[in-house]
Amino acid sequence: MSPTPEAPDSPSRERPLAEINADIRGLFARAEGRLSDAERVRHAALLEQWAAAIKASVVPAA
């Protein structure tokens, strides 16, 4: 069997901050500012991705 491709919201997949931010904005735009329980779970996953991307973008001081 071939391996299963990663889900788009998989935390191990590195995504650009702009892409994650666009997903967060789109989520709220589609929900008209009121998130369902499922959308809140999706939002939490996106926030985790965003935090990981921020952490990965930090350059250690010399």
Side-chain angles (χ1 to χ4, degrees), residues 20-30:
I20 298 167
N21 192 35
D23 285 352
I24 292 170
R25 288 177 184 266
L27 180 66
F28 274 96
R30 286 187 302 276

Side-chain angles (χ1 to χ4, degrees), residues 12-46:
S12 63
R13 182 174 164 231
E14 290 185 32
R15 297 174 57 206
L17 282 168
E19 185 179 311
I20 298 167
N21 192 35
D23 285 352
I24 292 170
R25 288 177 184 266
L27 180 66
F28 274 96
R30 286 187 302 276
E32 297 178 353
R34 295 181 154 232
L35 300 179
S36 68
D37 290 342
E39 290 165 330
R40 286 175 207 209
V41 170
R42 174 75 176 134
H43 181 250
L46 287 168

